[in-house]
C-alpha cells in the first residue's frame, strides 16, 4: 500500500495559540483603524457644524473667499508646529517651548543683519535657530536625563528672554520684498496662499514619516513602551533626540511663515502656541501618554480651533469666552481618550 505524500503544511500545523494571537493582532489593528476613521469623521462633523454656525451668524463675511483663505493661512502657522508636536507626544514626550522657539526664530531672522542676506538669509536663520533649540531640548532630555516638562519649560523661559533681548521690546519690520510678496494675493496659486501649500506639504511629509517609515514605527514603539523598544534594539535616546530636532525644525518653518504673514518679527510671536498645538493633537486622537499618533487628526484639530477663533473674532465675542470653549473641548477630548483606552 503506497503512502500519499504529505504537504509541508500537514507536517507542521500552526499552533492554535499562535493562530489566535495573529488573529487578535490583526483584529486590533483593524479596530484602531476603525477608531481613527470614526474620530476623524467626528472632527469633520464638528468642523461642518462650525462652518454652518459661521455662515449663519456672519453669512456675508465668514463664507467669503478672502475669509476662508485667511482661516487656512492662520491655520498653516500653528499647523506646522502641531505636526512636530504630534511626533513628540506620540513618543511619550511633550514640548512646552514651541511658542517661544517660534518667537526667537522669527526675531533672529528679522534682524537688520539677517535681512541683508535677503530671502535665503531669513529662511535659513529661522530654520537653523529652530533646529538649534530642538537640539538643546533633545540633548537635555535624551542624554541629560531631564524630564521633558522641565527641559522644555526651561527652553520656553530662555528663548522668550533671548527674543526680548534681541528686539529690546520693539517690532522688527521686514523690508525684503521677496518675503513680503508671499503674503499678497498675486502670489496665490489657483487661489491658494503659498503658506497653505507649505502647510500641506509638511502635513503630507509628516504623515508619510509617521505611517510609512521605520522612523515612525520607532516613534510609536518608544511612546508605547520605551524599555521594550530598547530591548528590541531601538536606540531610544537617539530617537528622542531626532524627535525634538524635528519639532524644532517645524518651529523654524512656522516662524518663517509667521514672518511672511505678519511682515515683522516680535518677541511676543507664538504666544500660547504650545497650548494650541497640544490641544489640536489631543483632540485629533494623539494619545497624551504616547504610543499612538495621527497627523490627519491633528490637522483637523488645528482647523477646528482656527475656525472657532475666526467665528469669535467676526462676532466680536470676548477672547476669554473663546479660551473657555477651547478648554472645554480639550477636557472632553481627554475624557473620550480615557474611555477609549479603557475599552481597548
Amino acid at each position: 500500500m503506497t503512502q500519499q505524500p504529505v504537504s509541508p503544511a500537514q507536517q507542521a500545523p500552526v499552533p492554535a495559540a499562535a493562530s489566535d494571537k495573529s488573529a487578535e493582532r490583526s483584529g486590533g489593528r483593524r479596530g484602531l483603524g476603525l477608531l481613527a476613521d470614526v474620530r476623524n469623521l467626528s472632527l469633520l462633523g464638528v468642523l461642518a457644524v462650525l462652518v454652518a454656525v459661521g455662515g449663519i451668524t456672519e453669512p456675508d463675511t465668514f463664507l467669503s473667499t478672502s475669509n476662508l483663505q485667511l482661516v487656512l493661512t492662520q491655520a498653516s502657522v500653528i499647523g506646522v508646529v502641531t505636526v512636530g508636536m504630534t511626533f513628540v507626544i506620540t513618543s511619550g514626550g511633550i514640548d512646552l517651548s514651541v511658542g517661544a522657539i517660534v518667537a526667537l526664530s522669527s526675531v533672529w531672522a528679522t534682524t537688520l543683519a539677517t535681512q541683508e542676506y535677503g530671502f535665503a538669509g531669513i529662511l535659513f536663520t529661522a530654520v537653523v535657530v529652530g533646529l538649534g533649540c530642538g537640539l538643546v531640548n533633545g540633548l537635555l532630555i535624551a542624554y541629560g536625563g531631564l524630564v521633558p516638562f522641565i527641559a522644555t519649560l526651561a527652553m520656553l523661559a530662555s528663548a522668550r528672554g533671548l527674543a526680548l533681548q534681541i528686539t529690546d521690546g520693539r517690532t522688527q519690520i521686514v523690508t525684503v520684498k521677496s518675503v513680503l510678496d508671499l503674503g499678497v494675493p498675486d502670489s496665490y496659486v489657483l487661489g491658494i496662499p503659498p503658506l497653505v501649500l507649505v502647510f500641506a506639504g509638511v502635513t503630507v511629509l509628516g504623515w508619510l514619516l509617521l505611517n510609512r517609515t521605520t522612523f515612525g514605527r520607532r516613534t510609536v514603539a518608544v511612546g508605547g513602551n520605551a524599555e521594550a523598544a530598547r530591548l528590541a534594539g531601538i536606540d531610544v535616546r537617539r530617537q528622542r533626540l531626532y524627535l525634538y530636532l524635528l519639532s524644532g525644525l517645524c518651529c523654524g518653518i512656522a516662524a518663517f511663515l509667521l514672518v511672511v504673514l505678519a511682515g515683522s518679527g516680535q518677541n511676543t510671536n507664538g504666544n500660547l502656541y504650545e497650548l494650541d498645538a497640544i490641544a489640536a493633537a489631543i483632540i485629533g486622537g494623539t494619545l497624551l501618554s504616547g504610543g499612538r499618533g495621527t497627523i490627519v487628526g491633528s490637522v483637523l484639530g488645528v482647523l477646528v480651533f482656527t475656525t472657532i477663533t475666526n467665528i469669535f473674532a467676526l462676532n466680536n465675542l470676548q477672547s476669554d469666552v473663546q479660551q473657555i470653549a477651547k478648554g472645554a473641548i480639550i477636557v472632553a477630548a481627554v475624557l473620550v481618550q480615557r474611555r477609549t483606552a479603557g475599552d481597548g
Side-chain angles (χ1 to χ4, degrees):
M1 181 177 180
T2 60
Q3 292 184 343
Q4 297 294 329
V6 180
S7 66
Q10 292 172 322
Q11 289 178 342
V14 178
S19 178
D20 291 342
K21 289 181 180 180
S22 177
E24 183 179 349
R25 286 195 297 268
S26 178
R29 286 192 294 268
R30 286 196 298 268
L32 287 176
L34 180 59
L35 181 63
D37 290 340
V38 171
R39 186 182 295 111
N40 291 339
L41 288 174
S42 299
L43 286 174
L44 285 173
V46 171
L47 193 57
V49 170
L50 290 174
V51 171
V53 170
I56 292 171
T57 56
E58 289 291 334
D60 296 331
T61 307
F62 180 78
L63 295 177
S64 65
T65 301
S66 59
N67 185 64
L68 294 178
Q69 290 172 335
L70 175 63
V71 170
L72 291 175
T73 301
Q74 292 175 336
S76 298
V77 181
I78 185 62
V80 171
V81 175
T82 303
V83 170
M85 182 68 79
T86 300
F87 278 88
V88 171
I89 296 178
T90 301
S91 72
I94 198 74
D95 191 347
L96 301 179
S97 64
V98 290
I101 294 175
V102 169
L104 180 59
S105 299
S106 69
V107 300
W108 209 322
T110 54
T111 60
L112 292 176
T114 302
Q115 292 193 51
E116 290 180 359
Y117 294 93
F119 183 101
I122 293 176
L123 175 60
F124 178 79
T125 302
V127 170
V128 168
V129 171
L131 282 171
C133 293
L135 176 63
V136 173
N137 279 338
L139 289 174
L140 290 175
I141 294 167
Y143 295 94
L146 289 184
V147 177
F149 181 90
I150 299 300
T152 58
L153 187 62
M155 176 58 72
L156 183 156
S158 302
R160 283 287 178 194
L162 185 54
L164 179 60
Q165 186 176 49
I166 291 175
T167 61
D168 196 23
R170 300 187 180 92
T171 299
Q172 298 177 163
I173 305 299
V174 177
T175 58
V176 180
K177 188 176 182 299
S178 56
V179 172
L180 298 175
D181 285 345
L182 289 178
V184 300
D186 290 342
S187 66
Y188 292 3
V189 179
L190 300 177
I192 303 175
L195 274 66
V196 178
L197 295 176
V198 172
F199 175 37
V202 171
T203 299
V204 171
L205 291 176
W207 185 89
L208 291 173
L209 189 61
L210 184 60
N211 296 282
R212 293 291 183 267
T213 66
T214 303
F215 181 87
R217 289 190 290 273
R218 288 175 177 171
T219 300
V220 174
V222 169
N225 189 322
E227 181 60 19
R230 185 187 68 81
L231 294 174
I234 297 174
D235 190 330
V236 175
R237 292 189 298 178
R238 185 172 61 185
Q239 184 70 16
R240 284 175 174 158
L241 173 61
Y242 289 162
L243 288 166
Y244 283 94
L245 275 171
L246 178 61
S247 180
L249 172 62
C250 289
C251 289
I253 296 173
F256 178 77
L257 298 183
L258 190 57
V259 166
V260 172
L261 183 62
S264 63
Q266 304 177 58
N267 66 286
T268 56
N269 282 344
N271 188 35
L272 295 181
Y273 271 22
E274 54 278 355
L275 170 64
D276 290 341
I278 293 171
I282 291 173
I283 72 168
T286 298
L287 200 60
L288 191 57
S289 58
R292 186 181 73 206
T294 163
I295 298 296
V296 174
S298 295
V299 170
L300 290 175
V302 169
L303 293 176
V304 166
F305 279 128
T306 307
T307 304
I308 290 175
T309 301
N310 184 258
I311 292 174
F312 272 70
L314 292 178
N315 288 276
N316 296 317
L317 297 176
Q318 296 295 327
S319 59
D320 54 351
V321 181
Q322 174 185 326
Q323 297 302 326
I324 292 173
K326 286 184 177 181
I329 292 174
I330 296 170
V331 171
V334 173
L335 289 176
V336 169
Q337 277 195 359
R338 291 185 60 183
R339 186 177 182 85
T340 303
D343 293 341

